[in-house]
């Protein structure tokens, strides 16, 4: 992976990743190791589905640990102190409405590592966020989305 790679995130997002990493290392890893140990005691490993399942789970867990460590190592905690208060940026909540007369929608723009659309958090890499970033309240913006262009007006930025 490139050394200049960074993962923009909020302070809360970084804290959540740190907590996840701690849980993976201190809770989940020992549990899987114990499952492997128990499965080994059943004897022949070539036909031992419990052992195979635990080893697969261990592989996925170690992969997730590596991913989270990488994201934390290259995290870029967003500081909005230098950004105008009415400008859309990572970490801010933006309310906009699709023109001409749709209902307003509110999303917080976050880094990809903490995106959760069901909680109203969209990735800064998403088409909507990319189209809104850098714009201000009352700006009308044309956003390119897979379904075609969408014209929106930014109502508020928090």
């Amino acid at each position: 992976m490139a050394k200049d790679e960074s993962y923009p995130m909020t302070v809360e997002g970084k804290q959540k990743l740190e907590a996840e990493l701690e849980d993976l290392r201190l809770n989940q890893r020992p549990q899987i190791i114990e499952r492997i140990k128990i499965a080994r005691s059943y004897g022949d490993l070539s036909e031992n589905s419990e052992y195979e399942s635990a080893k697969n789970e261990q592989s996925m867990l170690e992969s997730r640990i590596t991913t989270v460590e990488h994201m934390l190592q290259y995290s870029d905690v967003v500081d909005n102190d230098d950004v105008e208060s009415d400008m859309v940026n990572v970490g801010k909540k933006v309310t906009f409405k699709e023109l001409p007369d749709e209902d307003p929608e509110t999303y917080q723009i976050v880094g990809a590592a903490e995106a959760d659309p069901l909680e109203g958090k969209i990735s800064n890499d998403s088409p909507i966020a990319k189209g809104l970033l850098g714009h201000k309240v009352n700006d009308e913006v044309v956003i390119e989305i897979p379904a075609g262009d969408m014209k929106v007006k930014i109502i508020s930025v928090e």
Side-chain angles (χ1 to χ4, degrees), residues 4-5 20 25 39 47 50 56 58-59 70 74 78 82 87 96 105-106 138:
D4 61 346
E5 180 177 16
E20 178 186 355
R25 288 178 173 163
E47 295 182 18
E50 290 87 2
N56 287 338
Q58 181 185 40
S59 176
H70 183 79
Y74 294 102
V78 177
D82 297 334
M87 182 177 284
F96 62 90
E105 298 178 44
T106 301
N138 293 321

Side-chain angles (χ1 to χ4, degrees), residues 8-20 72 77 110-111 113-114 121:
M9 60 184 71
T10 62
V11 171
E12 297 82 17
K14 185 171 183 179
Q15 290 170 343
K16 188 175 177 181
L17 275 180
E18 289 169 339
E20 178 186 355
L72 287 171
V77 177
V110 296
E114 57 187 308
K121 296 179 178 185

Side-chain angles (χ1 to χ4, degrees), residues 125-140:
D125 292 328
S126 70
I128 291 176
K130 282 181 178 179
L132 294 172
L133 288 170
H135 290 281
K136 296 182 177 184
V137 173
N138 293 321
D139 282 358
E140 291 186 5

Side-chain angles (χ1 to χ4, degrees), residues 13-64:
K14 185 171 183 179
Q15 290 170 343
K16 188 175 177 181
L17 275 180
E18 289 169 339
E20 178 186 355
L21 183 60
E22 183 176 340
D23 179 58
L24 292 171
R25 288 178 173 163
L26 301 179
N27 297 321
Q28 294 184 38
R29 183 186 271 162
Q31 290 172 359
I32 291 176
I33 291 171
E34 184 62 26
R35 283 185 48 216
I36 291 170
K37 184 176 157 184
I38 291 169
R40 274 192 181 140
S41 71
Y42 296 153
D44 184 11
L45 298 181
S46 65
E47 295 182 18
N48 188 331
S49 63
E50 290 87 2
Y51 178 77
E52 285 298 318
S53 174
K55 288 298 283 183
N56 287 338
E57 192 173 334
Q58 181 185 40
S59 176
M60 289 188 293
L61 175 81
E62 295 301 328
S63 176
R64 180 63 184 162

Side-chain angles (χ1 to χ4, degrees), residues 65-141:
I65 288 172
T66 301
T67 299
V68 173
E69 287 172 340
H70 183 79
M71 287 190 293
L72 287 171
Q73 180 180 358
Y74 294 102
S75 66
D76 179 18
V77 177
V78 177
D79 178 10
N80 281 313
D81 291 343
D82 297 334
V83 178
E84 296 176 44
S85 62
D86 66 342
M87 182 177 284
V88 179
N89 196 31
V90 175
K92 293 190 175 185
K93 281 188 179 181
V94 59
T95 302
F96 62 90
K97 70 175 191 172
E98 188 173 351
L99 298 176
D101 56 3
E102 295 291 325
D103 292 332
E105 298 178 44
T106 301
Y107 295 102
Q108 181 178 13
I109 299 176
V110 296
E114 57 187 308
D116 185 350
L118 297 177
E119 288 187 20
K121 296 179 178 185
I122 60 172
S123 167
N124 62 312
D125 292 328
S126 70
I128 291 176
K130 282 181 178 179
L132 294 172
L133 288 170
H135 290 281
K136 296 182 177 184
V137 173
N138 293 321
D139 282 358
E140 291 186 5
V141 182

